[in-house]
Amino acid sequence: MRDLKFILQQKYETSRALVIGINQYKSVSPLGYAVNDAREVSEILVEELGFEQNNVTYLVDQNATKSNILKSFLRFSNDDVKVDDRLFVFFAGHGHTRSGVKGEVGYLVPYDADMADYSTFIRWDELTRNAELVRAKHILFVMDACYGGLAVHRDLRPGSSRFLRDMYQRFSRQVITAGKANEVVADAGGPLPNHSVFTGHFIEGIRGKASNEYGVITASGLMAYVYSKVSNDINSDQTPHYGQFDGDGDFIISVPVKETVENDGTKDTDELITIPYVDEVRSSKTTEEKVGYVKELISSNNSQIKLHDFTIEEVRRFLSATSEDSFATSGQFSQEEFLERISSYELYSKDLSMIVACLSHWANEIQLNSLTKIISRSCDRLLESRGGLVIWVNLRWYPLLLVMYHAGIAALEGKNYKSLASIFFTKLGSTDYDSSASYFVHKAGNAAGDLADAFKKIPDHERQYTPLSEYLYKLVQPELDDMLFLGKGYEDVFDEFEVLFALVVADLRKQEDSHFWGPIGRFGWKNRRGRISPFQKLRNEAAQHRNDWGPIKAGMFGGQYERYEEVAELYQKEILTNLRWY
């Protein structure tokens, strides 16, 4: 066994909440205890669980309109919310369902809802989808509403054991609802006066009855407690439903404060939550064996859960190995240290790069979610501002460039343009220095530009026009050739990838009216007269197929050949013809 280091902190920076309770509706029958439930929960958050009053948004009755609820929730998507924050969302009020062609659709009913007009409701999955915009590592939704069980996509086993330190450092989106999808929930009759059955047991749970042997209360423990109490309550005809619709961490509700500290300075959390990470047998396998295992998993849609779990496990290993604990951004520059970091980054990213390459080459529509999850989770820590020596800060992106090159080239070799588009357009959160969310390809393009000249410090690359591109060309070839048997076709597909990489970045920058630019690879010095360059070759191919061209059909360049051609022409005139390398 060994200790595993994680990117996320073993604590929360800020605790935030949105608490909603509606008794009196504008045109819907009233409830008796929803506002009491919301008020009590809000007070507990502030007075007992350490939430700052100004970080708790409290909406009741006429203030809980559809507009106010959605605006309040989406405010958590701004750059004030950090990765190490937690977000608690509580709703007490009416719920509603409607049958759709794919099953039941669940809604929350805001104060100003019109029961004859579904556009005035809030679709539950509107909140879960928008949760992707919130950077907080842990979000817990608590829904005391009829038919709330529609919110849950998969169950957790009641009472499953979790370790505190581990859970602080894993991403999670969890939900607990008052009843399952076909159940009306009680507004009264709970264990506490003036509270619903569900919220009464919920309140007792967060006040200590759901704690484990160490006094720790987690969302999973609370879920199991409330599930047991409500489903067995004599006043209840409902069964709470709970689960995790993203991630595998655990929202930490409360941790006991130790009265004394050991003389050696060890804090209570360290003593309580030391996690031995057990290496499974699979973790000792070679890169080739891991790739073989991924091939087995992607050959069947029935292996989606195993594929998700395995790839996320590899992401964690990658994040652990490439963390700032091992690659500090402070310190002085030396060529020896630079070369050592390059070599170490390559070693620690090899498994993930090859796994993602395998997935991007063969992935079908269903498996693209695993691909984007790998990219987004691998980039989380890079969205945090980091002081230090510029070259060490910029070099943090190098492992992700390796992953992207492996994946992109493999996708193109397999003509899997949807995989390539999924990689390029994986949505990342905003950064501490840039409030707008961005695509992975955009950030990777900036990183390639920042690192281009740095790679001239590598021996034999000092006088090359595109040292980063030349270095990656030689590095990636043997690894992908072993898996995909590219042979002499490798150079063509490498150049094709770099041209698309450059043009997609340039297109995004053009759309946002930024300085027109895209990373210049080896194809730049091949743009000579008298020969068909990789750049012109791709333009000819696109012109032949137009809107039926693979990248266009996959959604790149807005799915429009004319937009692609405009960007390609501009790139040719403003960038390639001005290089003057020949």
Side-chain angles (χ1 to χ4, degrees):
M1 295 190 296
R2 62 181 172 82
D3 285 339
L4 183 65
K5 300 172 183 176
F6 290 86
I7 173 57
L8 297 173
Q9 296 185 51
Q10 299 162 24
K11 64 177 183 179
Y12 294 121
E13 286 193 20
T14 306
S15 299
R16 306 173 189 276
L18 172 59
V19 180
I20 303 159
I22 311 173
N23 281 348
Q24 301 300 322
Y25 280 83
K26 185 176 181 179
S27 58
V28 181
S29 61
L31 292 172
Y33 298 124
V35 171
N36 284 348
D37 292 342
R39 182 185 301 113
E40 185 84 8
V41 168
S42 179
E43 290 174 357
I44 291 172
L45 292 176
V46 174
E47 298 172 9
E48 301 178 36
L49 298 181
F51 286 62
E52 295 291 337
Q53 183 70 63
N54 60 355
N55 287 327
V56 177
T57 302
Y58 180 64
L59 302 175
V60 296
D61 286 344
Q62 67 270 20
N63 290 323
T65 62
K66 177 179 180 178
S67 176
N68 282 347
I69 291 172
L70 292 178
K71 284 181 180 178
S72 296
F73 183 77
L74 286 172
R75 286 193 188 101
F76 297 120
S77 67
N78 64 33
D79 59 352
D80 290 330
V81 177
K82 306 301 181 185
V83 171
D84 281 299
D85 290 356
R86 63 175 169 173
L87 171 59
F88 176 90
V89 179
F90 179 88
F91 179 91
H94 278 301
H96 194 68
T97 60
R98 181 175 181 178
S99 296
V101 294
K102 295 184 178 180
E104 298 293 305
V105 179
Y107 294 89
L108 302 180
V109 182
Y111 163 80
D112 53 345
D114 178 354
M115 296 304 291
D117 183 359
Y118 279 85
S119 69
T120 63
F121 296 173
I122 298 173
R123 276 187 63 134
W124 162 253
D125 58 9
E126 184 173 3
L127 294 183
T128 58
R129 288 197 307 269
N130 285 333
E132 297 177 1
L133 304 176
V134 182
R135 295 178 63 196
K137 61 185 176 185
H138 292 169
I139 301 179
L140 174 61
F141 293 92
V142 180
M143 299 289 122
D144 190 355
C146 298
Y147 312 110
L150 291 172
V152 182
H153 299 295
R154 68 180 177 91
D155 289 334
L156 289 174
R157 292 173 294 173
S160 58
S161 177
R162 302 285 187 175
F163 287 98
L164 184 59
R165 183 176 187 177
D166 201 22
M167 292 306 103
Y168 265 128
Q169 297 176 292
R170 294 174 186 253
F171 182 86
S172 78
R173 300 288 187 263
Q174 295 163 280
V175 58
I176 179 170
T177 69
K180 292 191 175 180
N182 60 347
E183 294 178 343
V184 177
V185 303
D187 185 40
L192 299 178
N194 302 319
H195 289 291
S196 71
V197 173
F198 172 83
T199 300
H201 287 296
F202 177 82
I203 288 172
E204 288 191 331
I206 60 177
R207 280 186 162 152
K209 289 188 176 182
S211 63
N212 64 14
E213 60 184 317
Y214 299 108
V216 175
I217 303 176
T218 66
S220 290
L222 179 63
M223 290 171 180
Y225 172 85
V226 175
Y227 175 92
S228 174
K229 291 297 183 180
V230 175
S231 59
N232 291 296
D233 194 299
I234 61 174
N235 295 313
S236 169
D237 291 320
Q238 66 201 69
T239 304
H241 207 193
Y242 62 87
Q244 192 147 348
F245 58 87
D246 201 3
D248 61 351
D250 211 343
F251 188 105
I252 308 302
I253 293 170
S254 69
V255 179
V257 178
K258 194 172 182 180
E259 295 180 358
T260 60
V261 179
E262 300 297 332
N263 293 333
D264 63 1
T266 300
K267 295 183 179 179
D268 177 56
T269 50
D270 289 333
E271 177 183 333
L272 177 66
I273 59 181
T274 298
I275 298 301
Y277 187 91
V278 182
D279 281 323
E280 299 180 26
V281 174
R282 186 171 67 239
S283 67
S284 62
K285 289 187 176 182
T286 64
T287 303
E288 291 73 20
E289 289 172 324
K290 291 182 179 182
V291 169
Y293 183 62
V294 172
K295 288 180 180 178
E296 291 178 18
L297 296 179
I298 62 179
S299 64
S300 170
N301 288 337
N302 294 328
S303 299
Q304 287 305 110
I305 295 177
K306 288 184 179 179
L307 177 64
H308 171 274
D309 290 348
F310 176 70
T311 53
I312 291 304
E313 177 185 329
E314 289 300 321
V315 170
R316 292 197 184 97
R317 295 184 189 283
F318 165 77
L319 290 173
S320 171
T322 59
S323 72
E324 278 71 26
D325 289 343
S326 302
F327 296 89
T329 56
S330 58
Q332 300 297 314
F333 173 82
S334 71
Q335 186 176 31
E336 181 181 2
E337 173 69 12
F338 177 76
L339 296 178
E340 183 177 339
R341 290 193 181 210
I342 291 292
S343 178
S344 295
Y345 276 136
E346 290 164 2
L347 174 65
Y348 297 141
S349 62
K350 181 178 179 181
D351 282 1
L352 189 64
S353 293
M354 295 301 291
I355 287 168
V356 176
C358 178
L359 186 57
S360 64
H361 183 83
W362 282 289
N364 59 32
E365 291 268 8
I366 297 174
Q367 293 155 349
L368 294 180
N369 284 336
S370 293
L371 195 58
T372 56
K373 174 67 80 65
I374 292 170
I375 299 297
S376 61
R377 293 286 76 79
S378 297
C379 292
D380 274 347
R381 67 162 170 237
L382 299 177
L383 302 179
E384 297 285 346
S385 61
R386 177 72 57 170
L389 198 64
V390 172
I391 192 168
W392 297 152
V393 173
N394 291 341
L395 202 61
R396 296 163 69 227
W397 274 94
Y398 178 57
L400 271 301
L401 286 176
L402 291 174
V403 170
M404 186 187 70
Y405 266 73
H406 281 81
I409 293 168
L412 284 177
E413 199 281 333
K415 302 298 181 184
N416 197 339
Y417 297 106
K418 288 186 177 179
S419 280
L420 183 61
S422 294
I423 295 165
F424 278 168
F425 296 105
T426 294
K427 198 71 174 288
L428 305 182
S430 60
T431 67
D432 289 346
Y433 47 88
D434 181 4
S435 61
S436 61
S438 186
Y439 295 115
F440 174 59
V441 69
H442 203 166
K443 302 292 187 186
N446 292 341
D450 291 337
L451 290 172
D453 288 339
F455 273 68
K456 288 185 177 182
K457 303 179 187 300
I458 294 178
D460 300 325
H461 288 69
E462 299 90 341
R463 297 186 177 181
Q464 291 180 335
Y465 294 126
T466 57
L468 174 61
S469 175
E470 298 290 353
Y471 183 82
L472 291 174
Y473 173 74
K474 288 179 285 188
L475 176 71
V476 174
Q477 181 176 17
E479 296 175 353
L480 286 185
D481 200 36
D482 285 344
M483 183 174 74
L484 301 175
F485 196 56
L486 300 176
K488 293 183 179 180
Y490 171 74
E491 183 170 5
D492 288 341
V493 73
F494 182 94
D495 290 339
E496 180 183 357
F497 167 74
E498 287 203 316
V499 172
L500 278 173
F501 178 29
L503 291 179
V504 168
V505 171
D507 176 58
L508 290 176
R509 295 176 72 91
K510 184 176 184 296
Q511 299 307 312
E512 62 187 23
D513 294 324
S514 296
H515 170 65
F516 187 80
W517 175 85
I520 304 168
R522 300 171 76 248
F523 67 86
W525 57 259
K526 294 182 178 182
N527 194 50
R528 296 170 177 161
R529 296 176 182 176
R531 61 174 292 182
I532 298 178
S533 68
F535 189 88
Q536 187 58 49
K537 182 179 179 181
L538 199 69
R539 287 188 71 179
N540 293 345
E541 179 182 324
Q544 180 181 356
H545 299 283
R546 300 179 71 82
N547 285 332
D548 288 328
W549 187 43
I552 299 298
K553 291 178 70 176
M556 299 181 208
F557 309 100
Q560 303 169 17
Y561 167 75
E562 291 77 11
R563 178 167 144 182
Y564 160 80
E565 178 58 25
E566 181 181 356
V567 171
E569 179 66 20
L570 198 60
Y571 195 93
Q572 175 77 44
K573 289 182 177 180
E574 294 194 5
I575 296 179
L576 293 182
T577 58
N578 292 321
L579 290 176
R580 307 189 186 283
W581 286 347
Y582 40 85

